[in-house]
Amino acid sequence: MNLRRLAETLNLSQTTVSRALNGYSDVSEATRLRVQKAATLHNYRPSMRAKSLATGRAMTIGHIIPVTSRHEMVNPVFGDFIAGAGETYSAQGYDMLLKLVPDGDEERVYRDLKSRGTVDGIIIHGPRMDDSRIPLLKEIGLPFVVHGRASDVEDGYSWLDVNNKSAFERATKFLIDLGHTRIALINGLENMDFAHRRRNGYVHALSDAQITIDPTLMRSEEMTEVYGYRSTQELLALPAPPTAFLTSSMMVAIGVRRALEDTALKMGRDVSVITHDDDLSYLKNGEGVPIFTATRSSVRDAGRECADMLLKRIKDPTLPPFTRLLEVDLTLGRSTGPAPIKG
Amino acid sequence: MNLRRLAETLNLSQTTVSRALNGYSDVSEATRLRVQKAATLHNYRPSMRAKSLATGRAMTIGHIIPVTSRHEMVNPVFGDFIAGAGETYSAQGYDMLLKLVPDGDEERVYRDLKSRGTVDGIIIHGPRMDDSRIPLLKEIGLPFVVHGRASDVEDGYSWLDVNNKSAFERATKFLIDLGHTRIALINGLENMDFAHRRRNGYVHALSDAQITIDPTLMRSEEMTEVYGYRSTQELLALPAPPTAFLTSSMMVAIGVRRALEDTALKMGRDVSVITHDDDLSYLKNGEGVPIFTATRSSVRDAGRECADMLLKRIKDPTLPPFTRLLEVDLTLGRSTGPAPIKG
DNA sequence: GCGTGCATCCAAAGCGCTTTGGAAATTCCG
DNA sequence: CGGAATTTCCAAAGCGCTTTGGATGCACGC
């Protein structure tokens, strides 16, 4: 059933039926009711294709996932983020388009998206420090919101970010207060902006406490369980091993724990661990008392809010960019304790 | 730049330009070249909206994720599946639409998808044993492929599934051969078809070996780390605790391991663990010798192939349904060993 | 020189909706 | 009671593409 046939059935013009269904005021309540009845009766749903051609809006938001040969953004965090954003979209009648884009193809894809009109806006994932996508999107005029920030890009764009620096600064300071001085940082890839900020927070806290920075205690890779495991093994094999670990994700922390359990060291007694926790639905930080002491911030909430920001800007493009900095909770778990007394 | 203006620029008709760009034979090579040059010069890309209205194809595949209040399909497995499917889509010029759908809304959404023409086909995730979506989609005539199967639905639809029954039967038999008789099954939700099949395989192997089935050794919940942990604690507290665990996912197995490490029991010596491993990119089963003995099947490959099947059926709807049963590898890791001698 | 066949091109209709710019009918009010 | 204002409806254009059904010109063979 399409609009024309529905209009014929009702002995009305397409115009009237369309306006009745879309809630315009220049149609009497009586006929509006008639139209609505007939629409549900005949199971009429307007064709998205035609509608978006006529209106110029796709009612679709794009999520572009960079696919490097070696590193994937399709990670556990992404799933929860999408879930959050999806809630917002469903509530407001938007669809979500997912696109995996090989590195280097990005410019072409964004321009495509704009000129082919497949989406009304996009959300940028995993910004790097100097992310070329931001000026690019500004240039081509496609509304966007960044999940994270790009340090080297001057302002003038919308973003939502966790306060990574303060989070890791607080976590580091917490470990220092417990007496730790050799603190390892098992970070994400540091060309990622968030990882860079976390390192800054870590370094800052150490400097504040007059502790010299030891580069051998810092790692930077993609955040997998195996990476956490391997790094810990290597770090523990050092002449002066760390007594505390700061990790960038639950997944990595689980790897750290696995490595510790291969040794005689007990987590929370001999070695302390703090992780950042994205509060993923299927990977909770324990029940009751958390497994790990953690800086926590729900990535699902972030998704919901990013989507919200984007839709607002699409509705009213004259609005100035939104920015939102989320502070983390530092929740105490079983994985931290005072630094062991030197033997 | 749109088709009309491009045609004007070239002093050609829209027809000719369109056909030149789409590779029809009734346009001379000379003009085709001219057209292509002009198209790239002016950065012309056909509007998806107009194109899909004209052709009736959306060039988009839908992935519907059921969202129950309590259980989420946006799980770690989903991310990798999507990544695989996305590769296929990119390669063939398709887009991917993601939709989170609250339980109960499904029928409305599928009918919507069909009549609004937003997608050309969909992939069904997480089929339950008697999944109503399958007959529904057949009725409304939207092409689809099921990732998994629905036991209670008679054939006549396309699916790709892991041989869950044989996988868990083999795994159970392997444990039995090692001398284990008290084997726990920490399964996924058993209204999910795959979980039901796994249980069948488990039960079958035990029966074959004349081992009586003990319902207290079987759990069925959503597959989280915490679930694995809690289940293991409870099972170990039994008067006659199991000596081996069979789990449905790496995540659960990690929970099992955490519970074991709270005790004096050593995995692989005192207690054996086998898990199913979906071979997720960020959650590898260790490097070198696997952490867990596991039945493995790449969910990413599954995604790639599901997408392939669907696109083939969309291109030629007269084709009979495809079905594909993937056998798993049983890879030996460090988590299994002979049953401990009874003290 | 004329019908045939082929290679190129094009005008116009159509996809299913929204929206503009009235027209017709009704109400209002001095 | 007549003109203005208001309400209710509609014809037709337009969104940007594809596709049908020719039209045109040219070489070919007889």
Side-chain angles (χ1 to χ4, degrees):
Chain A
M1 175 59 74
N2 60 18
L3 189 65
R4 188 164 52 81
R5 289 210 293 145
L6 184 63
E8 280 166 8
T9 308
L10 286 160
N11 268 324
L12 286 170
S13 73
Q14 289 194 41
T15 308
T16 304
V17 176
S18 170
R19 312 212 93 190
L21 257 22
N22 289 317
Y24 282 71
S25 65
D26 65 348
V27 44
S28 74
E29 272 322 297
T31 58
R32 187 195 305 285
L33 241 65
R34 248 184 83 216
V35 171
Q36 278 166 346
K37 281 236 176 71
T40 54
L41 176 67
H42 294 89
N43 249 303
Y44 169 74
R45 297 133 206 257
S47 148
M48 264 316 289
R49 299 178 189 140
K51 195 165 191 158
S52 73
L53 179 58
T55 59
R57 280 169 305 144
M59 297 302 283
T60 303
I61 302 299
H63 287 244
I64 281 69
I65 309 170
V67 178
T68 321
S69 44
R70 287 176 36 235
H71 309 297
E72 304 285 347
M73 279 301 302
V74 187
N75 54 28
V77 172
F78 184 74
D80 256 48
F81 184 89
I82 286 291
E87 288 177 30
T88 302
Y89 297 147
S90 310
Q92 308 205 31
Y94 276 80
D95 282 331
M96 172 163 52
L97 193 77
L98 225 61
K99 234 173 158 41
L100 304 182
V101 179
D103 262 8
D105 257 15
E106 303 203 315
E107 172 149 4
R108 192 184 53 72
V109 170
Y110 288 132
R111 290 194 185 279
D112 241 63
L113 244 31
K114 168 71 177 183
S115 48
R116 314 182 60 149
T118 22
V119 302
D120 297 325
I122 69 176
I123 289 197
I124 293 200
H125 295 276
R128 277 140 294 163
M129 289 187 53
D130 176 10
D131 204 300
S132 60
R133 293 175 289 176
I134 297 172
L136 173 66
L137 284 166
K138 282 210 258 185
E139 181 209 323
I140 65 184
L142 194 57
F144 67 97
V145 170
V146 181
H147 179 210
R149 275 174 291 176
S151 299
D152 295 354
V153 178
E154 80 288 8
D155 249 19
Y157 63 95
S158 296
W159 53 261
L160 175 147
D161 199 4
V162 166
N163 198 339
N164 285 298
K165 183 174 181 222
S166 108
F168 271 56
E169 192 167 346
R170 280 177 66 196
T172 308
K173 181 158 188 324
F174 178 73
L175 289 170
I176 293 171
D177 290 347
L178 284 171
H180 296 275
T181 56
R182 294 192 61 72
I183 302 172
L185 174 67
I186 309 189
N187 205 356
L189 283 167
E190 286 181 6
N191 60 340
M192 290 289 158
D193 194 78
F194 75 90
H196 185 255
R197 288 178 195 273
R198 287 176 183 182
R199 172 202 250 254
N200 277 348
Y202 161 85
V203 166
H204 202 264
L206 290 180
S207 304
D208 260 12
Q210 323 272 335
I211 300 175
T212 49
I213 315 294
D214 183 351
T216 61
L217 295 185
M218 295 191 257
R219 305 282 153 131
S220 165
E221 269 182 47
E222 203 183 359
M223 305 179 288
T224 65
E225 197 267 356
V226 167
Y227 161 53
Y229 179 77
R230 190 173 9 86
S231 300
T232 306
Q233 282 191 324
E234 292 166 6
L235 287 163
L236 290 179
L238 289 177
T243 61
F245 292 79
L246 213 50
T247 75
S248 255
S249 86
M250 282 286 291
M251 220 52 152
V252 173
I254 287 173
V256 171
R257 198 156 60 75
R258 177 158 66 97
L260 291 177
E261 276 149 2
D262 286 355
T263 71
L265 299 171
K266 190 160 157 44
M267 183 171 84
R269 192 192 59 196
D270 309 306
V271 170
S272 288
V273 177
I274 301 187
T275 185
H276 182 72
D277 174 13
D278 291 296
D279 204 10
L280 306 179
S281 43
Y282 53 87
L283 181 53
K284 292 281 173 210
N285 190 0
E287 289 172 319
V289 180
I291 307 169
F292 299 104
T293 297
T295 58
R296 176 165 50 199
S297 176
S298 161
V299 74
R300 182 169 188 141
D301 290 349
R304 196 162 17 221
E305 204 163 336
C306 266
D308 234 30
M309 285 166 65
L310 182 55
L311 295 189
K312 280 209 188 87
R313 292 220 59 198
I314 287 173
K315 258 158 217 156
D316 183 359
T318 67
L319 254 38
F322 298 119
T323 62
R324 179 78 195 281
L325 190 58
L326 303 171
E327 294 298 333
V328 304
D329 297 326
L330 181 55
T331 55
L332 203 57
R334 277 194 262 261
S335 66
T336 44
I341 313 297
K342 283 191 186 165
Chain B
M1 176 57 76
N2 60 19
L3 188 65
R4 188 165 53 81
R5 289 209 295 144
L6 185 62
E8 280 166 8
T9 309
L10 286 160
N11 268 324
L12 286 170
S13 73
Q14 289 194 41
T15 309
T16 304
V17 176
S18 170
R19 313 212 95 194
L21 257 21
N22 289 316
Y24 282 71
S25 65
D26 65 349
V27 44
S28 74
E29 271 322 297
T31 58
R32 187 195 305 285
L33 240 66
R34 249 184 82 217
V35 170
Q36 278 166 346
K37 280 236 177 71
T40 54
L41 175 67
H42 294 90
N43 249 304
Y44 169 73
R45 297 134 206 255
S47 147
M48 264 316 290
R49 299 179 189 138
K51 195 165 191 158
S52 73
L53 179 58
T55 58
R57 280 169 304 141
M59 296 304 283
T60 303
I61 302 298
H63 287 244
I64 280 71
I65 310 170
V67 177
T68 321
S69 44
R70 287 175 38 233
H71 309 297
E72 303 285 345
M73 280 303 301
V74 187
N75 54 28
V77 171
F78 184 74
D80 257 49
F81 184 88
I82 286 291
E87 288 177 29
T88 302
Y89 298 146
S90 310
Q92 307 205 32
Y94 276 80
D95 283 331
M96 172 162 55
L97 193 77
L98 225 60
K99 234 173 159 39
L100 304 183
V101 180
D103 261 9
D105 256 16
E106 303 204 314
E107 172 148 3
R108 192 184 54 71
V109 170
Y110 288 133
R111 290 193 185 280
D112 241 62
L113 245 30
K114 167 72 176 183
S115 48
R116 314 183 60 148
T118 23
V119 302
D120 298 325
I122 69 177
I123 289 197
I124 294 199
H125 295 275
R128 277 141 294 162
M129 290 187 52
D130 176 9
D131 203 300
S132 60
R133 293 175 290 177
I134 297 172
L136 173 65
L137 284 166
K138 282 211 259 186
E139 182 208 323
I140 65 185
L142 193 58
F144 68 98
V145 169
V146 182
H147 179 210
R149 276 175 289 176
S151 299
D152 296 353
V153 177
E154 80 288 7
D155 248 19
Y157 64 94
S158 295
W159 53 262
L160 175 147
D161 200 3
V162 166
N163 197 339
N164 285 298
K165 183 175 181 221
S166 107
F168 272 56
E169 191 167 345
R170 279 176 67 196
T172 308
K173 181 158 189 325
F174 178 74
L175 289 170
I176 293 172
D177 290 347
L178 282 171
H180 296 275
T181 55
R182 293 192 62 73
I183 302 172
L185 174 67
I186 309 191
N187 205 356
L189 282 167
E190 286 181 6
N191 61 339
M192 291 288 158
D193 194 79
F194 75 90
H196 185 257
R197 288 179 195 273
R198 287 176 183 181
R199 171 202 251 254
N200 277 349
Y202 162 84
V203 166
H204 201 264
L206 290 180
S207 304
D208 260 12
Q210 323 272 336
I211 301 175
T212 48
I213 315 294
D214 183 351
T216 61
L217 296 186
M218 297 191 255
R219 305 282 153 131
S220 165
E221 269 183 47
E222 203 182 358
M223 305 179 289
T224 65
E225 197 265 358
V226 167
Y227 161 53
Y229 179 77
R230 189 174 9 85
S231 299
T232 306
Q233 282 191 323
E234 291 166 6
L235 288 163
L236 289 179
L238 290 176
T243 61
F245 292 79
L246 212 50
T247 76
S248 255
S249 86
M250 282 285 292
M251 221 51 152
V252 174
I254 286 173
V256 171
R257 197 155 62 75
R258 177 159 66 97
L260 291 177
E261 277 149 3
D262 286 356
T263 71
L265 299 170
K266 191 162 156 42
M267 184 172 83
R269 190 192 61 195
D270 308 306
V271 170
S272 288
V273 177
I274 300 186
T275 185
H276 183 71
D277 173 12
D278 290 295
D279 204 10
L280 306 179
S281 44
Y282 53 87
L283 181 52
K284 292 283 174 208
N285 191 359
E287 289 173 320
V289 180
I291 307 170
F292 298 104
T293 298
T295 58
R296 175 164 51 199
S297 177
S298 161
V299 74
R300 183 169 187 141
D301 291 348
R304 197 162 16 221
E305 204 164 336
C306 266
D308 234 31
M309 287 166 62
L310 182 55
L311 295 189
K312 281 209 186 88
R313 291 221 59 198
I314 288 173
K315 259 158 216 157
D316 183 0
T318 66
L319 254 38
F322 297 119
T323 63
R324 179 77 196 280
L325 190 58
L326 302 172
E327 293 299 333
V328 303
D329 296 327
L330 181 55
T331 55
L332 204 56
R334 276 195 261 261
S335 65
T336 44
I341 312 298
K342 284 193 185 162

